[in-house]
Amino acid sequence: MFSDIQQTVLTQQQIADLVARLGEQISRDYAHKNLLLVGVLRGAVVFFADLMRAITIPCRIDFIEVSSYGDGTSSSGTITLRKDVKGPLAGFDILLVEDMLDSGNTISYLRRHFQDCGAASVKCCVLLDKQSAHAPGISAEYVGTCAPDGFLVGYGLDFAQNYRHLPYIGILRPQVYQGQEHT
Ligand code: PRP
């Protein structure tokens, strides 16, 4: 295990099992719909690439990039839209694909963003749901698993743009980020 990682949260095999289950569920639910997967860059990139290959029905893909964490460990609360989808979106069943639901700021922003785009539906799929970090009213329609407390990295998740390449998800040692906050 990488020395900056305090504890593994999900192994590669556990992630693969969750992705397979979500892929089956989404393929079943969207079988007669017009599925457009929208990956939320950058954190969702690894999850997105695996999930789309676990989906067995026709679908299209696009990406949106938003950011709110900067180099720190807590959400700034201000979402910056860096790249939008290309569209047109009319008639599509949009499924937003996110790595993590934490404070809920990003998912709430994205639901508002796609509200009046003419899509047939807008839903969210997250690999990790940190339920202790957001209000109970905020949720995703598809959830891989609950996330524990602690700062999670790997499988697309970063701290200050590092650790995204790790093939598993782990809790970052607090010593790594204490005293290094830049928010
Ligand atoms: C992270 C993560 C989610 C979001 C979840 O993105 O990838 O998109 O935060 O947190 P929230 O529920 O508190 O909004 P970040 O803003 O760090 O950008 P990134 O995807 O480029 O890592």
Side-chain angles (χ1 to χ4, degrees), residues 44-73:
V45 66
V46 189
F47 175 45
F48 185 90
D50 285 344
L51 182 67
M52 67 183 273
R53 288 175 293 169
I55 289 175
T56 54
I57 56 167
C59 73
R60 297 188 188 198
I61 67 166
D62 205 339
F63 297 94
I64 189 166
E65 182 174 1
V66 291
S67 184
S68 64
Y69 278 74
D71 285 348
T73 58

PDB file of all heavy atoms in Angstrom, residues 44-73:
ATOM      1  N   ALA A  44     -14.348  11.781 -11.521  1.00  0.00           N
ATOM      2  CA  ALA A  44     -15.122  10.596 -11.923  1.00  0.00           C
ATOM      3  C   ALA A  44     -14.490   9.839 -13.084  1.00  0.00           C
ATOM      4  O   ALA A  44     -15.040   8.830 -13.525  1.00  0.00           O
ATOM      5  CB  ALA A  44     -16.543  11.004 -12.290  1.00  0.00           C
ATOM      6  N   VAL A  45     -13.347  10.303 -13.563  1.00  0.00           N
ATOM      7  CA  VAL A  45     -12.836   9.768 -14.832  1.00  0.00           C
ATOM      8  C   VAL A  45     -12.610   8.254 -14.815  1.00  0.00           C
ATOM      9  O   VAL A  45     -12.954   7.554 -15.758  1.00  0.00           O
ATOM     10  CB  VAL A  45     -11.561  10.545 -15.267  1.00  0.00           C
ATOM     11  CG1 VAL A  45     -10.407  10.333 -14.313  1.00  0.00           C
ATOM     12  CG2 VAL A  45     -11.166  10.167 -16.676  1.00  0.00           C
ATOM     13  N   VAL A  46     -12.066   7.724 -13.731  1.00  0.00           N
ATOM     14  CA  VAL A  46     -11.756   6.286 -13.696  1.00  0.00           C
ATOM     15  C   VAL A  46     -13.050   5.482 -13.530  1.00  0.00           C
ATOM     16  O   VAL A  46     -13.283   4.499 -14.232  1.00  0.00           O
ATOM     17  CB  VAL A  46     -10.768   5.966 -12.555  1.00  0.00           C
ATOM     18  CG1 VAL A  46     -10.288   4.529 -12.672  1.00  0.00           C
ATOM     19  CG2 VAL A  46      -9.587   6.916 -12.573  1.00  0.00           C
ATOM     20  N   PHE A  47     -13.881   5.930 -12.617  1.00  0.00           N
ATOM     21  CA  PHE A  47     -15.178   5.288 -12.392  1.00  0.00           C
ATOM     22  C   PHE A  47     -16.004   5.307 -13.675  1.00  0.00           C
ATOM     23  O   PHE A  47     -16.609   4.302 -14.066  1.00  0.00           O
ATOM     24  CB  PHE A  47     -15.895   6.020 -11.250  1.00  0.00           C
ATOM     25  CG  PHE A  47     -17.290   5.563 -10.968  1.00  0.00           C
ATOM     26  CD1 PHE A  47     -17.612   4.212 -10.896  1.00  0.00           C
ATOM     27  CD2 PHE A  47     -18.311   6.499 -10.746  1.00  0.00           C
ATOM     28  CE1 PHE A  47     -18.925   3.794 -10.625  1.00  0.00           C
ATOM     29  CE2 PHE A  47     -19.611   6.086 -10.473  1.00  0.00           C
ATOM     30  CZ  PHE A  47     -19.910   4.733 -10.428  1.00  0.00           C
ATOM     31  N   PHE A  48     -16.018   6.444 -14.344  1.00  0.00           N
ATOM     32  CA  PHE A  48     -16.794   6.595 -15.576  1.00  0.00           C
ATOM     33  C   PHE A  48     -16.342   5.583 -16.626  1.00  0.00           C
ATOM     34  O   PHE A  48     -17.160   4.913 -17.264  1.00  0.00           O
ATOM     35  CB  PHE A  48     -16.626   8.025 -16.106  1.00  0.00           C
ATOM     36  CG  PHE A  48     -17.473   8.337 -17.299  1.00  0.00           C
ATOM     37  CD1 PHE A  48     -18.746   8.864 -17.139  1.00  0.00           C
ATOM     38  CD2 PHE A  48     -17.012   8.119 -18.588  1.00  0.00           C
ATOM     39  CE1 PHE A  48     -19.538   9.155 -18.240  1.00  0.00           C
ATOM     40  CE2 PHE A  48     -17.802   8.403 -19.690  1.00  0.00           C
ATOM     41  CZ  PHE A  48     -19.066   8.922 -19.515  1.00  0.00           C
ATOM     42  N   ALA A  49     -15.031   5.479 -16.801  1.00  0.00           N
ATOM     43  CA  ALA A  49     -14.489   4.576 -17.838  1.00  0.00           C
ATOM     44  C   ALA A  49     -14.856   3.126 -17.543  1.00  0.00           C
ATOM     45  O   ALA A  49     -15.152   2.355 -18.455  1.00  0.00           O
ATOM     46  CB  ALA A  49     -12.975   4.742 -17.919  1.00  0.00           C
ATOM     47  N   ASP A  50     -14.851   2.753 -16.276  1.00  0.00           N
ATOM     48  CA  ASP A  50     -15.224   1.382 -15.915  1.00  0.00           C
ATOM     49  C   ASP A  50     -16.730   1.185 -16.032  1.00  0.00           C
ATOM     50  O   ASP A  50     -17.196   0.171 -16.553  1.00  0.00           O
ATOM     51  CB  ASP A  50     -14.767   1.061 -14.481  1.00  0.00           C
ATOM     52  CG  ASP A  50     -13.262   0.821 -14.411  1.00  0.00           C
ATOM     53  OD1 ASP A  50     -12.639   0.603 -15.474  1.00  0.00           O
ATOM     54  OD2 ASP A  50     -12.714   0.854 -13.287  1.00  0.00           O
ATOM     55  N   LEU A  51     -17.495   2.165 -15.538  1.00  0.00           N
ATOM     56  CA  LEU A  51     -18.956   2.014 -15.530  1.00  0.00           C
ATOM     57  C   LEU A  51     -19.519   1.915 -16.948  1.00  0.00           C
ATOM     58  O   LEU A  51     -20.380   1.077 -17.229  1.00  0.00           O
ATOM     59  CB  LEU A  51     -19.610   3.195 -14.787  1.00  0.00           C
ATOM     60  CG  LEU A  51     -21.132   3.130 -14.675  1.00  0.00           C
ATOM     61  CD1 LEU A  51     -21.568   1.974 -13.765  1.00  0.00           C
ATOM     62  CD2 LEU A  51     -21.704   4.447 -14.146  1.00  0.00           C
ATOM     63  N   MET A  52     -19.024   2.741 -17.859  1.00  0.00           N
ATOM     64  CA  MET A  52     -19.591   2.713 -19.224  1.00  0.00           C
ATOM     65  C   MET A  52     -19.361   1.352 -19.870  1.00  0.00           C
ATOM     66  O   MET A  52     -20.182   0.891 -20.656  1.00  0.00           O
ATOM     67  CB  MET A  52     -19.039   3.866 -20.079  1.00  0.00           C
ATOM     68  CG  MET A  52     -17.581   3.785 -20.394  1.00  0.00           C
ATOM     69  SD  MET A  52     -17.028   5.237 -21.323  1.00  0.00           S
ATOM     70  CE  MET A  52     -17.390   4.704 -22.983  1.00  0.00           C
ATOM     71  N   ARG A  53     -18.265   0.679 -19.481  1.00  0.00           N
ATOM     72  CA  ARG A  53     -18.006  -0.644 -20.067  1.00  0.00           C
ATOM     73  C   ARG A  53     -18.773  -1.757 -19.361  1.00  0.00           C
ATOM     74  O   ARG A  53     -18.786  -2.890 -19.822  1.00  0.00           O
ATOM     75  CB  ARG A  53     -16.497  -0.924 -20.050  1.00  0.00           C
ATOM     76  CG  ARG A  53     -15.769  -0.070 -21.084  1.00  0.00           C
ATOM     77  CD  ARG A  53     -14.287  -0.237 -21.006  1.00  0.00           C
ATOM     78  NE  ARG A  53     -13.754   0.301 -19.765  1.00  0.00           N
ATOM     79  CZ  ARG A  53     -12.515   0.092 -19.344  1.00  0.00           C
ATOM     80  NH1 ARG A  53     -11.693  -0.645 -20.052  1.00  0.00           N
ATOM     81  NH2 ARG A  53     -12.109   0.632 -18.217  1.00  0.00           N
ATOM     82  N   ALA A  54     -19.421  -1.409 -18.248  1.00  0.00           N
ATOM     83  CA  ALA A  54     -20.273  -2.384 -17.551  1.00  0.00           C
ATOM     84  C   ALA A  54     -21.734  -2.221 -17.964  1.00  0.00           C
ATOM     85  O   ALA A  54     -22.602  -2.945 -17.493  1.00  0.00           O
ATOM     86  CB  ALA A  54     -20.134  -2.196 -16.042  1.00  0.00           C
ATOM     87  N   ILE A  55     -21.990  -1.245 -18.842  1.00  0.00           N
ATOM     88  CA  ILE A  55     -23.357  -0.992 -19.324  1.00  0.00           C
ATOM     89  C   ILE A  55     -23.546  -1.720 -20.648  1.00  0.00           C
ATOM     90  O   ILE A  55     -22.716  -1.594 -21.554  1.00  0.00           O
ATOM     91  CB  ILE A  55     -23.608   0.529 -19.432  1.00  0.00           C
ATOM     92  CG1 ILE A  55     -23.693   1.113 -18.007  1.00  0.00           C
ATOM     93  CG2 ILE A  55     -24.867   0.827 -20.224  1.00  0.00           C
ATOM     94  CD1 ILE A  55     -23.806   2.609 -17.937  1.00  0.00           C
ATOM     95  N   THR A  56     -24.618  -2.472 -20.742  1.00  0.00           N
ATOM     96  CA  THR A  56     -24.795  -3.385 -21.884  1.00  0.00           C
ATOM     97  C   THR A  56     -25.878  -2.930 -22.862  1.00  0.00           C
ATOM     98  O   THR A  56     -26.310  -3.703 -23.706  1.00  0.00           O
ATOM     99  CB  THR A  56     -25.142  -4.792 -21.360  1.00  0.00           C
ATOM    100  OG1 THR A  56     -26.277  -4.679 -20.493  1.00  0.00           O
ATOM    101  CG2 THR A  56     -23.976  -5.395 -20.586  1.00  0.00           C
ATOM    102  N   ILE A  57     -26.338  -1.697 -22.715  1.00  0.00           N
ATOM    103  CA  ILE A  57     -27.351  -1.160 -23.633  1.00  0.00           C
ATOM    104  C   ILE A  57     -26.720   0.007 -24.392  1.00  0.00           C
ATOM    105  O   ILE A  57     -25.691   0.543 -23.959  1.00  0.00           O
ATOM    106  CB  ILE A  57     -28.602  -0.667 -22.858  1.00  0.00           C
ATOM    107  CG1 ILE A  57     -28.192   0.384 -21.804  1.00  0.00           C
ATOM    108  CG2 ILE A  57     -29.339  -1.830 -22.207  1.00  0.00           C
ATOM    109  CD1 ILE A  57     -29.355   1.147 -21.222  1.00  0.00           C
ATOM    110  N   PRO A  58     -27.328   0.435 -25.516  1.00  0.00           N
ATOM    111  CA  PRO A  58     -26.768   1.584 -26.239  1.00  0.00           C
ATOM    112  C   PRO A  58     -26.741   2.826 -25.353  1.00  0.00           C
ATOM    113  O   PRO A  58     -27.691   3.059 -24.597  1.00  0.00           O
ATOM    114  CB  PRO A  58     -27.752   1.778 -27.402  1.00  0.00           C
ATOM    115  CG  PRO A  58     -28.459   0.474 -27.550  1.00  0.00           C
ATOM    116  CD  PRO A  58     -28.518  -0.121 -26.169  1.00  0.00           C
ATOM    117  N   CYS A  59     -25.679   3.590 -25.427  1.00  0.00           N
ATOM    118  CA  CYS A  59     -25.639   4.859 -24.685  1.00  0.00           C
ATOM    119  C   CYS A  59     -24.637   5.796 -25.335  1.00  0.00           C
ATOM    120  O   CYS A  59     -23.763   5.366 -26.088  1.00  0.00           O
ATOM    121  CB  CYS A  59     -25.313   4.636 -23.216  1.00  0.00           C
ATOM    122  SG  CYS A  59     -23.618   4.200 -22.871  1.00  0.00           S
ATOM    123  N   ARG A  60     -24.802   7.054 -25.056  1.00  0.00           N
ATOM    124  CA  ARG A  60     -23.843   8.057 -25.525  1.00  0.00           C
ATOM    125  C   ARG A  60     -23.128   8.619 -24.303  1.00  0.00           C
ATOM    126  O   ARG A  60     -23.609   8.455 -23.175  1.00  0.00           O
ATOM    127  CB  ARG A  60     -24.562   9.185 -26.254  1.00  0.00           C
ATOM    128  CG  ARG A  60     -25.269   8.679 -27.493  1.00  0.00           C
ATOM    129  CD  ARG A  60     -25.795   9.840 -28.291  1.00  0.00           C
ATOM    130  NE  ARG A  60     -26.629   9.347 -29.367  1.00  0.00           N
ATOM    131  CZ  ARG A  60     -26.951  10.065 -30.434  1.00  0.00           C
ATOM    132  NH1 ARG A  60     -26.528  11.305 -30.549  1.00  0.00           N
ATOM    133  NH2 ARG A  60     -27.712   9.543 -31.371  1.00  0.00           N
ATOM    134  N   ILE A  61     -22.013   9.281 -24.540  1.00  0.00           N
ATOM    135  CA  ILE A  61     -21.270   9.863 -23.412  1.00  0.00           C
ATOM    136  C   ILE A  61     -20.922  11.329 -23.680  1.00  0.00           C
ATOM    137  O   ILE A  61     -20.800  11.754 -24.833  1.00  0.00           O
ATOM    138  CB  ILE A  61     -19.965   9.090 -23.098  1.00  0.00           C
ATOM    139  CG1 ILE A  61     -18.950   9.217 -24.233  1.00  0.00           C
ATOM    140  CG2 ILE A  61     -20.262   7.635 -22.785  1.00  0.00           C
ATOM    141  CD1 ILE A  61     -17.549   8.777 -23.859  1.00  0.00           C
ATOM    142  N   ASP A  62     -20.771  12.070 -22.596  1.00  0.00           N
ATOM    143  CA  ASP A  62     -20.279  13.446 -22.657  1.00  0.00           C
ATOM    144  C   ASP A  62     -19.665  13.756 -21.293  1.00  0.00           C
ATOM    145  O   ASP A  62     -19.740  12.931 -20.365  1.00  0.00           O
ATOM    146  CB  ASP A  62     -21.411  14.425 -22.983  1.00  0.00           C
ATOM    147  CG  ASP A  62     -20.890  15.702 -23.635  1.00  0.00           C
ATOM    148  OD1 ASP A  62     -19.689  16.007 -23.480  1.00  0.00           O
ATOM    149  OD2 ASP A  62     -21.689  16.404 -24.275  1.00  0.00           O
ATOM    150  N   PHE A  63     -19.061  14.917 -21.183  1.00  0.00           N
ATOM    151  CA  PHE A  63     -18.384  15.277 -19.932  1.00  0.00           C
ATOM    152  C   PHE A  63     -18.677  16.720 -19.552  1.00  0.00           C
ATOM    153  O   PHE A  63     -18.867  17.570 -20.413  1.00  0.00           O
ATOM    154  CB  PHE A  63     -16.859  15.108 -20.073  1.00  0.00           C
ATOM    155  CG  PHE A  63     -16.454  13.693 -20.338  1.00  0.00           C
ATOM    156  CD1 PHE A  63     -16.282  13.256 -21.643  1.00  0.00           C
ATOM    157  CD2 PHE A  63     -16.295  12.796 -19.297  1.00  0.00           C
ATOM    158  CE1 PHE A  63     -15.946  11.937 -21.905  1.00  0.00           C
ATOM    159  CE2 PHE A  63     -15.955  11.472 -19.544  1.00  0.00           C
ATOM    160  CZ  PHE A  63     -15.778  11.043 -20.855  1.00  0.00           C
ATOM    161  N   ILE A  64     -18.692  16.947 -18.242  1.00  0.00           N
ATOM    162  CA  ILE A  64     -18.781  18.310 -17.721  1.00  0.00           C
ATOM    163  C   ILE A  64     -17.683  18.412 -16.670  1.00  0.00           C
ATOM    164  O   ILE A  64     -17.351  17.405 -16.020  1.00  0.00           O
ATOM    165  CB  ILE A  64     -20.187  18.578 -17.132  1.00  0.00           C
ATOM    166  CG1 ILE A  64     -20.372  20.054 -16.778  1.00  0.00           C
ATOM    167  CG2 ILE A  64     -20.477  17.706 -15.906  1.00  0.00           C
ATOM    168  CD1 ILE A  64     -21.838  20.436 -16.503  1.00  0.00           C
ATOM    169  N   GLU A  65     -17.077  19.579 -16.530  1.00  0.00           N
ATOM    170  CA  GLU A  65     -16.037  19.721 -15.494  1.00  0.00           C
ATOM    171  C   GLU A  65     -16.414  20.835 -14.535  1.00  0.00           C
ATOM    172  O   GLU A  65     -16.658  21.968 -14.950  1.00  0.00           O
ATOM    173  CB  GLU A  65     -14.659  20.017 -16.110  1.00  0.00           C
ATOM    174  CG  GLU A  65     -13.588  20.115 -15.023  1.00  0.00           C
ATOM    175  CD  GLU A  65     -12.170  20.275 -15.559  1.00  0.00           C
ATOM    176  OE1 GLU A  65     -12.002  20.334 -16.785  1.00  0.00           O
ATOM    177  OE2 GLU A  65     -11.248  20.354 -14.719  1.00  0.00           O
ATOM    178  N   VAL A  66     -16.497  20.474 -13.267  1.00  0.00           N
ATOM    179  CA  VAL A  66     -16.752  21.453 -12.209  1.00  0.00           C
ATOM    180  C   VAL A  66     -15.753  21.200 -11.085  1.00  0.00           C
ATOM    181  O   VAL A  66     -15.225  20.102 -10.948  1.00  0.00           O
ATOM    182  CB  VAL A  66     -18.192  21.358 -11.643  1.00  0.00           C
ATOM    183  CG1 VAL A  66     -19.216  21.810 -12.659  1.00  0.00           C
ATOM    184  CG2 VAL A  66     -18.502  19.963 -11.162  1.00  0.00           C
ATOM    185  N   SER A  67     -15.535  22.238 -10.295  1.00  0.00           N
ATOM    186  CA  SER A  67     -14.579  22.089  -9.199  1.00  0.00           C
ATOM    187  C   SER A  67     -14.966  22.982  -8.044  1.00  0.00           C
ATOM    188  O   SER A  67     -15.463  24.088  -8.241  1.00  0.00           O
ATOM    189  CB  SER A  67     -13.181  22.458  -9.702  1.00  0.00           C
ATOM    190  OG  SER A  67     -12.244  22.241  -8.683  1.00  0.00           O
ATOM    191  N   SER A  68     -14.741  22.502  -6.824  1.00  0.00           N
ATOM    192  CA  SER A  68     -15.034  23.351  -5.662  1.00  0.00           C
ATOM    193  C   SER A  68     -14.028  23.160  -4.533  1.00  0.00           C
ATOM    194  O   SER A  68     -14.088  23.854  -3.535  1.00  0.00           O
ATOM    195  CB  SER A  68     -16.441  23.060  -5.124  1.00  0.00           C
ATOM    196  OG  SER A  68     -16.511  21.750  -4.651  1.00  0.00           O
ATOM    197  N   TYR A  69     -13.114  22.209  -4.678  1.00  0.00           N
ATOM    198  CA  TYR A  69     -12.215  21.895  -3.556  1.00  0.00           C
ATOM    199  C   TYR A  69     -10.853  22.577  -3.617  1.00  0.00           C
ATOM    200  O   TYR A  69     -10.154  22.628  -2.619  1.00  0.00           O
ATOM    201  CB  TYR A  69     -12.018  20.376  -3.437  1.00  0.00           C
ATOM    202  CG  TYR A  69     -13.166  19.734  -2.693  1.00  0.00           C
ATOM    203  CD1 TYR A  69     -14.395  19.591  -3.302  1.00  0.00           C
ATOM    204  CD2 TYR A  69     -13.034  19.335  -1.373  1.00  0.00           C
ATOM    205  CE1 TYR A  69     -15.477  19.043  -2.633  1.00  0.00           C
ATOM    206  CE2 TYR A  69     -14.106  18.782  -0.685  1.00  0.00           C
ATOM    207  CZ  TYR A  69     -15.327  18.637  -1.329  1.00  0.00           C
ATOM    208  OH  TYR A  69     -16.385  18.099  -0.656  1.00  0.00           O
ATOM    209  N   GLY A  70     -10.470  23.118  -4.784  1.00  0.00           N
ATOM    210  CA  GLY A  70      -9.129  23.678  -4.882  1.00  0.00           C
ATOM    211  C   GLY A  70      -8.123  22.638  -4.440  1.00  0.00           C
ATOM    212  O   GLY A  70      -8.252  21.459  -4.754  1.00  0.00           O
ATOM    213  N   ASP A  71      -7.123  23.058  -3.671  1.00  0.00           N
ATOM    214  CA  ASP A  71      -6.128  22.111  -3.174  1.00  0.00           C
ATOM    215  C   ASP A  71      -6.393  21.712  -1.727  1.00  0.00           C
ATOM    216  O   ASP A  71      -5.559  21.101  -1.072  1.00  0.00           O
ATOM    217  CB  ASP A  71      -4.715  22.697  -3.287  1.00  0.00           C
ATOM    218  CG  ASP A  71      -4.216  22.677  -4.717  1.00  0.00           C
ATOM    219  OD1 ASP A  71      -4.871  22.014  -5.563  1.00  0.00           O
ATOM    220  OD2 ASP A  71      -3.186  23.319  -4.989  1.00  0.00           O
ATOM    221  N   GLY A  72      -7.563  22.079  -1.196  1.00  0.00           N
ATOM    222  CA  GLY A  72      -7.847  21.806   0.212  1.00  0.00           C
ATOM    223  C   GLY A  72      -8.641  20.535   0.416  1.00  0.00           C
ATOM    224  O   GLY A  72      -8.891  19.767  -0.520  1.00  0.00           O
ATOM    225  N   THR A  73      -9.073  20.307   1.644  1.00  0.00           N
ATOM    226  CA  THR A  73      -9.799  19.080   1.976  1.00  0.00           C
ATOM    227  C   THR A  73     -11.273  19.331   2.250  1.00  0.00           C
ATOM    228  O   THR A  73     -11.990  18.411   2.588  1.00  0.00           O
ATOM    229  CB  THR A  73      -9.171  18.393   3.213  1.00  0.00           C
ATOM    230  OG1 THR A  73      -9.200  19.320   4.293  1.00  0.00           O
ATOM    231  CG2 THR A  73      -7.759  17.935   2.931  1.00  0.00           C
TER     232      THR A  73
END
